[in-house]
Amino acid sequence: STLVNFVDLMTFNVNSNGLTGTIPSEIGYLTSMTVLSIGSNQLSGSLPTEVGRLTELTTWNLERNNFTGNPAFLRELPALVSLTLHENNFDSVNGICQGGRDFTNFVANDCNNTVYECSCCTNCCILPEGTICPSLLL
């Protein structure tokens, strides 16, 4: 993959570009990456564990794709403070919250699709009436 040629890339924004396929494991070579924005595409599959090498990543937008699996390993990204992953097909997102993770922005639900239980989300449902957390309404 040609991603290995961009090891110094810090910001990558390809929102709404009609991308398909999966995230290549070579993404782990982009260790200087601080912002990764791949939302509103048609990407699918599990997130590669090599994402765990992105220790400088502070912001990741992967909303509105077709990702699956359990992204709990994202809690291991030490610099990550903003994570937007609603409108995907993850099994669960609450594992990201384990270990006392604290996010300034964590959006897992929009309440129009799958609603995940998320104990550390900052925005659980984005509705015209405001932000609510369905898991708190049970």
Side-chain angles (χ1 to χ4, degrees):
S1 173
T2 58
L3 285 178
V4 297
N5 297 326
F6 297 98
V7 294
D8 294 324
L9 186 67
M10 296 179 67
T11 300
F12 187 63
N13 183 343
V14 290
N15 280 344
S16 304
N17 273 282
L19 300 177
T20 60
T22 60
I23 297 176
S25 61
E26 289 83 7
I27 195 165
Y29 290 110
L30 305 178
T31 55
S32 297
M33 181 82 61
T34 58
V35 177
L36 179 56
S37 193
I38 57 174
S40 299
N41 284 293
Q42 291 133 30
L43 298 169
S44 59
S46 295
L47 302 178
T49 56
E50 289 81 2
V51 166
R53 296 184 197 146
L54 305 181
T55 57
E56 301 298 317
L57 190 66
T58 61
T59 303
W60 194 2
N61 172 10
L62 56 142
E63 69 188 15
R64 295 184 182 106
N65 279 289
N66 298 304
F67 292 117
T68 57
N70 189 335
F73 71 94
L74 295 179
R75 72 176 169 262
E76 304 297 327
L77 294 173
L80 190 64
V81 294
S82 180
L83 178 61
T84 307
L85 49 72
H86 64 84
E87 292 186 59
N88 278 288
N89 298 308
F90 292 118
D91 298 331
S92 170
V93 299
N94 211 34
I96 298 170
C97 300
Q98 294 175 350
R101 277 311 307 254
D102 191 21
F103 292 92
T104 56
N105 181 55
F106 182 7
V107 182
N109 299 304
D110 69 352
C111 291
N112 292 322
N113 295 291
T114 303
V115 176
Y116 301 107
E117 180 178 339
C118 184
S119 61
C120 66
C121 286
T122 58
N123 296 324
C124 298
C125 285
I126 303 168
L127 300 171
E129 305 83 44
T131 300
I132 61 168
C133 295
S135 61
L136 300 178
L137 299 176
L138 301 176

